[in-house]
Amino acid sequence: MKLYPIRGGIHPEYRKELTSKKTIVALPLPLALYIPLQQHIGAPAEVLVKAGDLVKKGQMIARSQGVVSSPQHATTSGRITAVTQVAAPHPSGLPQTTVVLEPDGKDEWADLPEPFADPFSADAHAIHERVAQSGIVGMGGAAFPSAVKLNLGTQKKLEILLLNGAECEPYLTCDDRVMREYPNEIIDGARIMAHALGTPRVIIAIEQNKPQAIEIMTKAASAFAEIKVIGVPVQYPMGSERHLVQAITGRETPARKLTADLGVVVHNVSTARAVHHAVRFGRPLVARVVTVSGRAIREPKNILTPIGARIADLVEFCGGFAQRPESVVNGGPMMGQPLASLDAPVVKGTSGILALTAEEINNRPTNSCIRCGSCVTICPCGLSPLDMAAYIRKDNLEGAAKLGVMDCFSCGSCSYVCPSHIPLVHYFNYAKGMLKDLENELRKNDRVKNLAEVRVIRIEKANEAKKTALAARKPAPATTAPPSNTGETKAAPPTPEEKADA
Amino acid sequence: MNIATTSGPFTHGYNTVQKTMITVLLALAPATLFNFYLFGLPSILLFAVTVGSCLAIEAGCMALAGKPAKTALSDYSATLTGWLLAMSLPPWAPWWIGLLGALFAIALAKHAFGGLGQNVFNPAMVGRTAMLVSFPVVMTAWIMPHPLFSSGSPGLAEAIAITFGGHMPDTVSAASALGYIKTELSRGIPVTQSMAKVPDLMDMVLGYRAGSLGETSAIFILAGGLFLMSKRIISWHIPLSLMGSLFVMAALFHAVDPAHYASGIFHLMSGATFLGAFFIATDYVTSPVSKKGQIVFGIGCGLLTWLIRNFAGYPEGMAFAVLLMNGLTPIIDQYTRPRAFGRDSKGEPLPLGKP
């Protein structure tokens, strides 16, 4: 099949050999599991249990709230000891509401929903419902609720389900291992998803640095004419949804549109496997494979981890640190987030935990920009990082926005190649945050302004009504109070005396 | 609880400013060494004075700015500026040309604008043109090659007298090919006739001709340029568009009126065409960052070089052409930004439905 070139990109040292030959091993049940209510993009789940409750594996402990949300399930059987605040796996280390589960060691499954005997004759809606109820989110890292994406078939005409097995981030091998060890589960999940989406074709894209995965997946897919496995060039960030779609179809997703608008829906390979489990066995998403790697880890591994295990548990299972890590990263080294604490739990979007040495990170003091233009050449989004950074340094966020900083998805390629080691992504993340705040502020102002205008109109109308009423029955006293009166007195600014009192 | 303050990525490439500069210096070395051999000891002395002055002035400027001089010197950018400046001077020019040129290059063109990466104009070319405009006689005192160890090559004492004493032997001066043709043309002698007296093509390619300290050998400079391309320090865009446009203009006018216009090959091989195309115009700081912009920039340099060589007062035009285009670089950059993913060239989202 013909592939299309994508713009820019880099070829970092992949360092996947640290774990690519390591078979997936299961983490022994830790003493406690910490299951956050928010592990996905969207609204946090609403908790259904309280301290002291006994739960079984796969039992729903928090239900989804709203359209874009996802439920949480007990990841083993045991007792809820608390619903409390625990540090989130986020750079801020801020606490979030988390269910603490003490395993009883039996790992007993709850009564699970009935498996679908023949999912391909089932109604698409029933499959969405099952995926939603199973708490499945995108397992490539973004953690967007998968059911919402599976629903796109009802709104748009879809042609291709594209399974993303590119795994373009250095170090990470969890998808590679899942593809090599559970190819049939992925293929079955993919077929179910294609059925639910109504896409006639399935393409599984795998970067060519995973030849075994390509071979095994091709073999597993050979029985199904609609499924095609394609090796894509090794070029970071090939795994970016929009870029992968461009490489496969040659079509560029317009800004502010979805790949689904081009008829392509992208799901991660591990997500397909989770769908297989949910539909064929009724099992919700309670575990995932996490690559624990980096040269500061004594024994790097691919670990099947129950959701909620502490990162410290994983590190300990890998023999602890061989040396003091310079940074511990949640995700891949390019787009992953630094961790503030090892006490944070593994969540559904955790693809890797990397303990990196200073040598691996190879960061250096920042120099002046020499305008070499490398960042412009490699930017996969066609932006001019050096110019945006210059604006942001002068706090000219508007200028940076005009140059498209909001189109940047922080792939990190520019920071990677910069010979002056300018922390470009850091600038862009800062600008994006500030610009979002600014936009929210503007929206808030607009809303306040609208409310104020509406209020003025309302008062005028009331006054008008009062006048006409007065004019109609002149002799009557004007005691009928307009309904907006109470609001008016409340909103009135305080007099100087009142201010002084305060 | 400590908050992680560093943002990704958590892996970085191995390229540094220092490595880039050293690679460029390496690429310049063969052409420089060959010209040391051709022009002898005085050229080596002038080179040492120029590079040394640049380093000293860089250190001085950093000290004035209250910044550590050591870090500035260790990026080798001042060394490179000095090296390129020296390569663009007449090989037997006196020491103060090197020193003054360095002052213009480093203090005025670089640090007055804010130091590394902030300058609008190529420092080495500012140094060279300031000298050329101020001291036109000294700056056009070309000599024919006097290879080291040959009988005509000055000894150490003589070299010191030439560089530091200002004793330019009368007998050795020669015109550069471009200068010669221009003078002859002004005397009414057509190019077709004067071409007979300039070095033949073989000498031009090898560099056995009169010219600046480092610019004469097309073949060694080409080798250095190709080395830089293989190391991905520079790309083909500027050199090719510069030489291409210069060649096309020259060839076109030569075809129409050979009596007044020298051939395309002649323009490519003479003056600073190769040095300019591969090492001067490709200076990161003062050339556009996008590939599209680099092509515009290269074509501009090529056209201006040809115009200046043919119609302006100076026989050589590369330095002026590059400086003029340097001034246009910010504007070129602004109009040649790449198209963003999913957007048209105006920044609007692409229309849907386009296959």
Side-chain angles (χ1 to χ4, degrees):
Chain A
M1 187 173 151
K2 184 179 182 275
L3 290 174
Y4 299 84
I6 63 168
R7 188 184 196 282
I10 54 168
H11 299 90
E13 276 184 29
Y14 282 93
R15 299 174 187 154
K16 288 180 188 272
E17 67 285 350
L18 287 171
T19 51
S20 60
K21 290 198 181 75
K22 305 265 177 84
T23 315
I24 299 169
V25 287
L27 182 78
L29 269 182
L31 293 176
L33 292 162
Y34 301 83
I35 305 163
L37 295 184
Q38 175 143 40
Q39 305 185 26
H40 48 265
I41 292 177
E46 184 190 354
V47 71
L48 298 173
V49 291
K50 57 185 187 308
D53 286 1
L54 293 176
V55 294
K56 295 238 167 105
K57 185 175 181 177
Q59 182 182 331
M60 192 183 286
I61 54 171
R63 67 167 169 234
S64 67
Q65 285 192 105
V67 182
V68 183
S69 183
S70 181
Q72 314 299 347
H73 300 80
T75 52
T76 185
S77 57
R79 198 171 59 91
I80 306 292
T81 54
V83 178
T84 180
Q85 300 286 308
V86 171
H90 182 270
S92 68
L94 286 173
Q96 65 165 335
T97 311
T98 301
V99 176
V100 185
L101 169 61
E102 192 183 83
D104 59 12
K106 293 181 203 149
D107 208 24
E108 251 180 312
W109 281 98
D111 290 332
L112 296 174
E114 223 20 56
F116 283 70
D118 180 11
F120 303 109
S121 61
D123 180 31
H125 185 73
I127 293 174
H128 303 155
E129 196 53 34
R130 173 59 58 88
V131 170
Q133 287 302 307
S134 302
I136 298 175
V137 300
M139 292 173 76
F144 187 81
S146 301
V148 181
K149 254 169 130 181
L150 276 183
N151 231 342
L152 289 168
T154 58
Q155 304 150 21
K156 301 183 194 326
K157 172 113 189 67
L158 301 176
E159 286 147 33
I160 300 172
L161 164 62
L162 180 54
L163 276 204
N164 188 348
E167 202 165 52
C168 61
E169 278 270 11
Y171 294 92
L172 300 187
T173 56
C174 52
D175 286 345
D176 182 19
R177 288 314 308 188
V178 169
M179 287 189 282
R180 280 157 77 173
E181 296 181 38
Y182 305 100
N184 295 322
E185 297 186 4
I186 294 171
I187 299 284
D188 186 62
R191 291 179 64 222
I192 295 169
M193 290 165 107
H195 167 66
L197 286 162
T199 55
R201 294 167 64 201
V202 178
I203 292 175
I204 304 176
I206 305 169
E207 267 195 358
Q208 278 152 356
N209 58 3
K210 292 177 267 297
Q212 295 96 336
I214 294 176
E215 197 193 317
I216 292 168
M217 290 296 290
T218 307
K219 218 170 129 201
S222 59
F224 307 101
E226 76 274 22
I227 305 181
K228 210 159 190 182
V229 178
I230 294 179
V232 290
V234 183
Q235 179 183 358
Y236 180 87
M238 186 53 87
S240 144
E241 190 170 276
R242 284 156 190 257
H243 292 91
L244 192 60
V245 167
Q246 189 180 26
I248 299 285
T249 67
R251 296 180 64 188
E252 200 173 311
T253 313
R256 285 185 248 149
K257 294 277 183 218
L258 302 170
T259 60
D261 291 310
L262 303 179
V264 186
V265 174
V266 185
H267 281 283
N268 179 267
V269 284
S270 295
T271 311
R273 184 173 172 236
V275 169
H276 163 82
H277 286 159
V279 172
R280 294 286 187 181
F281 304 100
R283 287 184 202 151
L285 178 58
V286 291
R288 68 156 299 142
V289 180
V290 179
T291 299
V292 181
S293 189
R295 295 198 214 281
I297 289 281
R298 200 174 298 277
E299 264 181 79
K301 283 186 168 109
N302 296 298
I303 307 176
L304 177 67
T305 310
I307 305 299
R310 285 183 320 144
I311 287 156
D313 296 331
L314 273 69
V315 171
E316 196 187 324
F317 183 55
C318 292
F321 294 128
Q323 54 176 299
R324 208 189 119 73
E326 176 78 8
S327 275
V328 179
V329 178
N330 175 12
M334 295 300 298
M335 289 185 71
Q337 307 263 2
L339 279 168
S341 156
L342 293 185
D343 291 332
V346 166
V347 292
K348 293 169 182 176
T350 309
S351 47
I353 298 295
L354 308 176
L356 302 172
T357 62
E359 202 188 5
E360 286 174 285
I361 296 173
N362 186 37
N363 208 357
R364 291 160 196 266
T366 300
N367 252 320
S368 313
C369 171
I370 55 167
R371 289 174 40 84
C372 69
S374 308
C375 53
V376 180
T377 309
I378 57 81
C379 178
C381 293
L383 304 173
S384 301
L386 82 165
D387 292 336
M388 299 196 298
Y391 277 140
I392 295 165
R393 279 172 65 143
K394 296 245 153 51
D395 229 6
N396 180 356
L397 297 181
E398 211 172 290
K402 251 184 213 150
L403 292 185
V405 73
M406 295 309 272
D407 282 10
C408 162
F409 69 104
S410 300
C411 73
S413 300
C414 52
S415 297
Y416 179 87
V417 296
C418 181
S420 295
H421 287 84
I422 299 168
L424 294 157
V425 175
H426 200 90
Y427 287 152
F428 304 151
N429 287 344
Y430 163 78
K432 282 188 271 186
M434 292 300 278
L435 285 167
K436 264 188 200 138
D437 281 356
L438 217 68
E439 205 189 299
N440 287 342
E441 194 65 26
L442 282 178
R443 207 176 291 155
K444 210 165 124 191
N445 285 350
D446 272 357
R447 197 169 149 64
V448 170
K449 214 169 119 193
N450 274 344
L451 287 176
E453 276 166 11
V454 168
R455 178 173 163 271
V456 168
I457 294 168
R458 202 173 55 220
I459 292 169
E460 270 172 12
K461 267 190 185 161
N463 285 343
E464 204 83 350
K466 210 157 79 179
K467 265 187 208 157
T468 44
L470 271 176
R473 37 192 178 105
K474 236 181 184 153
T479 46
T480 40
S484 65
N485 235 6
T486 47
E488 198 181 343
T489 43
K490 246 186 219 164
T495 59
E497 288 84 357
E498 280 170 340
K499 262 186 200 160
D501 284 348
Chain B
M1 174 83 42
N2 59 327
I3 289 170
T5 48
T6 48
S7 176
F10 295 91
T11 177
H12 293 88
Y14 294 95
N15 192 18
T16 61
V17 173
Q18 188 192 41
K19 264 186 204 163
T20 305
M21 298 289 174
I22 291 176
T23 315
V24 179
L25 294 180
L26 270 178
L28 282 170
T32 313
L33 291 176
F34 179 67
N35 276 19
F36 282 167
Y37 165 72
L38 285 190
F39 297 122
L41 286 174
S43 67
I44 299 175
L45 291 176
L46 177 66
F47 181 88
V49 168
T50 312
V51 174
S53 307
C54 278
L55 290 176
I57 294 164
E58 172 97 355
C61 287
M62 291 307 281
L64 271 179
K67 294 178 194 157
K70 210 178 144 200
T71 52
L73 293 179
S74 67
D75 68 22
Y76 291 94
S77 63
T79 313
L80 180 57
T81 300
W83 193 312
L84 286 171
L85 174 62
M87 285 179 89
S88 71
L89 298 176
W92 288 11
W95 64 276
W96 50 267
I97 285 283
L99 174 66
L100 272 181
L103 197 66
F104 273 95
I106 299 286
L108 189 76
K110 185 177 175 187
H111 283 284
F113 283 82
L116 181 64
Q118 303 294 316
N119 48 299
V120 177
F121 300 101
N122 186 312
M125 288 305 100
V126 170
R128 181 198 139 86
T129 47
M131 291 303 100
L132 180 62
V133 173
S134 314
F135 311 102
V137 177
V138 185
M139 282 296 286
T140 48
W142 310 111
I143 52 154
M144 278 311 281
H146 292 72
L148 274 176
F149 321 116
S150 73
S151 60
S153 180
L156 186 59
E158 204 181 336
I160 290 172
I162 289 170
T163 307
F164 296 100
H167 298 294
M168 183 71 147
D170 293 333
T171 48
V172 296
S173 73
S176 70
L178 280 167
Y180 176 71
I181 288 180
K182 189 149 202 152
T183 334
E184 292 296 277
L185 203 57
S186 67
R187 293 201 298 144
I189 295 168
V191 172
T192 29
Q193 214 173 315
S194 53
M195 278 299 279
K197 289 212 181 127
V198 303
D200 66 22
L201 191 64
M202 197 59 197
D203 281 347
M204 298 280 266
V205 171
L206 273 176
Y208 199 86
R209 62 173 168 97
S212 292
L213 197 158
E215 73 177 20
T216 68
S217 172
I219 192 104
F220 280 109
I221 292 171
L222 177 67
L226 292 178
F227 170 71
L228 284 189
M229 283 190 200
S230 75
K231 291 279 175 193
R232 295 179 181 247
I233 302 276
I234 62 169
S235 61
W236 57 266
H237 301 80
I238 291 178
L240 200 71
S241 58
L242 190 159
M243 298 208 288
S245 57
L246 175 62
F247 178 81
V248 167
M249 277 306 274
L252 217 64
F253 276 76
H254 179 69
V256 173
D257 184 0
H260 277 91
Y261 301 100
S263 71
I265 291 286
F266 176 77
H267 272 285
L268 278 191
M269 292 304 157
S270 40
T273 306
F274 270 71
L275 186 67
F278 286 102
F279 290 94
I280 308 284
T282 53
D283 171 37
Y284 283 154
V285 178
T286 55
S287 65
V289 288
S290 75
K291 299 295 171 215
K292 223 191 316 175
Q294 289 174 1
I295 289 177
V296 173
F297 179 85
I299 291 175
C301 287
L303 293 183
L304 283 173
T305 301
W306 182 82
L307 282 174
I308 294 167
R309 281 180 181 180
N310 284 288
F311 302 111
Y314 292 93
E316 168 60 290
M318 181 60 75
F320 292 109
V322 169
L323 287 176
L324 287 169
M325 290 311 290
N326 285 163
L328 286 179
T329 293
I331 289 179
I332 296 174
D333 260 341
Q334 203 172 329
Y335 285 101
T336 56
R337 288 212 175 91
R339 183 181 65 80
F341 189 97
R343 292 182 185 274
D344 63 17
S345 50
K346 288 194 187 104
E348 295 301 317
L350 287 178
L352 251 183
K354 199 191 81 179

